[in-house]
């Protein structure tokens, strides 16, 4: 009902509703997360092009497929063979802990689970080769994960990603000097492994904060509502 109300508001008024009158006698729409993934880009796009009940089904199907593609890409980035990456992608997208969530319609959990390998893929590409496009990729995926509004799953994903980034930082720091790719502006003869590793980790943190800033329109009102009104 909340998503149908949201879709009608987008089509008729061209804007996001400020109030959800059908929930608990009325709640703020954005602050109380009345429609869940109301600002998550794939969900918004599907609601604009099809009826809400079809959009609910298609976004689940879409994220099952995307989970497989993202896992395949991440595995290829870490050097796994094409055949083994295909097995990993198919296994991940059809894993019972993930695909079984279609039955109860736990879309938020599915979104975060599908985006997990994409975030690790982007982080790995950043630590292999520091480029602005990899910075942007990390920020966009972090922002998208937050906009799914399943903050609990996002919390665990970001913790795991942080540990992975620390591991890759130590790995670069301990790598032979000639295996470390220097960022633009740092001459190879004068750089140190620690300097490069620290810079990569610092840029990773900056990209993560940029992603949080992208999604601030969603989680800051929710944080304020929970602490002051709910």
């Amino acid at each position: 009902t909340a998503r149908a109300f949201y879709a009608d508001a987008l089509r008729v008024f061209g804007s996001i509703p400020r109030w959800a009158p059908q929930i608990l006698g009325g709640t703020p729409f954005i602050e109380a997360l009345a429609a869940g993934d109301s600002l998550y880009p794939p969900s918004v796009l599907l609601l604009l092009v099809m009826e809400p009940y079809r959009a609910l089904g298609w976004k689940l199907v879409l994220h099952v497929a995307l989970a497989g593609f993202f896992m395949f890409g991440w595995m290829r980035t870490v050097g796994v063979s094409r055949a083994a990456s295909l097995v990993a992608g198919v296994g991940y997208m059809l894993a019972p802990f993930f695909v079984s969530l279609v039955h109860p319609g736990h879309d938020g959990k599915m979104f975060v689970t599908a985006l997990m390998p994409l975030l690790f893929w982007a982080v790995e590409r950043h630590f292999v080769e520091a480029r602005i496009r990899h910075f942007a990729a990390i920020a966009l995926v972090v922002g998208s994960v937050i906009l799914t509004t399943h903050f609990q799953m996002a919390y665990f994903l970001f913790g795991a990603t942080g540990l992975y980034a620390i591991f890759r930082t130590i790995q670069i720091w301990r790598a032979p000097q000639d295996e470390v790719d220097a960022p633009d502006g740092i001459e190879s003869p004068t750089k140190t492994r620690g300097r490069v590793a620290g810079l990569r980790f610092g840029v990773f943190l900056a990209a993560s904060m940029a992603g949080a800033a992208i999604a601030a329109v969603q989680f800051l009102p929710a944080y304020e509502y929970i602490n002051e009104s709910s």
Side-chain angles (χ1 to χ4, degrees), residues 36-43 63 70 107-108 111-116 118-119 136-151 154 157-158 207-208 210-216 218-219:
D37 54 329
S38 55
L39 299 182
Y40 181 53
S43 298
H63 281 80
F70 294 156
D107 49 1
F111 297 159
V112 178
T113 306
L115 291 172
M116 184 279 288
L118 179 60
L119 182 56
I138 294 173
L140 289 174
V141 179
V142 167
S144 296
V145 169
I146 296 173
L147 290 176
T148 65
T149 70
H150 203 296
F151 298 131
L157 172 56
F158 294 153
S208 301
I214 291 173
Q218 175 70 83
F219 77 81

Side-chain angles (χ1 to χ4, degrees), residues 29 161 207:
F29 191 82
T161 308

Side-chain angles (χ1 to χ4, degrees), residues 7-52:
D8 290 340
L10 289 178
R11 292 193 183 100
V12 176
F13 302 108
S15 63
I16 299 173
R18 300 294 300 275
W19 189 258
Q22 75 278 27
I23 299 177
L24 299 176
T27 60
F29 191 82
I30 294 294
E31 293 86 340
L33 308 176
D37 54 329
S38 55
L39 299 182
Y40 181 53
S43 298
V44 176
L45 179 62
L46 289 172
L47 283 174
L48 289 174
V49 299
M50 61 182 66
E51 293 298 317

Side-chain angles (χ1 to χ4, degrees), residues 74-191:
W74 178 31
M75 291 297 98
R76 291 293 290 161
T77 299
V78 297
V80 178
S81 69
R82 188 180 298 274
S85 298
L86 179 62
V87 172
V90 173
Y92 189 72
M93 69 187 289
L94 298 180
F97 78 88
F98 172 57
V99 75
S100 63
L101 295 174
V102 170
H103 178 66
H106 289 175
D107 49 1
K109 291 182 179 180
M110 294 189 68
F111 297 159
V112 178
T113 306
L115 291 172
M116 184 279 288
L118 179 60
L119 182 56
F120 276 77
W121 184 4
V123 170
E124 176 63 24
R125 289 300 303 154
H126 163 70
F127 278 96
V128 170
E129 184 183 29
R131 295 291 183 267
I132 188 64
R133 63 180 180 273
H134 301 145
F135 177 96
I138 294 173
L140 289 174
V141 179
V142 167
S144 296
V145 169
I146 296 173
L147 290 176
T148 65
T149 70
H150 203 296
F151 298 131
Q152 303 95 317
M153 294 282 287
Y155 173 84
F156 290 113
L157 172 56
F158 294 153
T161 308
L163 291 175
Y164 183 75
I166 292 172
F167 166 75
R168 291 292 284 119
T169 301
I170 296 173
Q171 203 172 38
I172 292 174
W173 176 57
R174 298 183 62 184
Q177 190 70 20
D178 56 358
E179 293 183 10
V180 178
D181 175 53
D184 293 338
I186 300 179
E187 297 297 329
S188 181
T190 60
K191 74 179 187 298

Side-chain angles (χ1 to χ4, degrees), residues 212-224:
I214 291 173
V217 66
Q218 175 70 83
F219 77 81
L220 286 182
Y223 176 81
E224 181 180 356

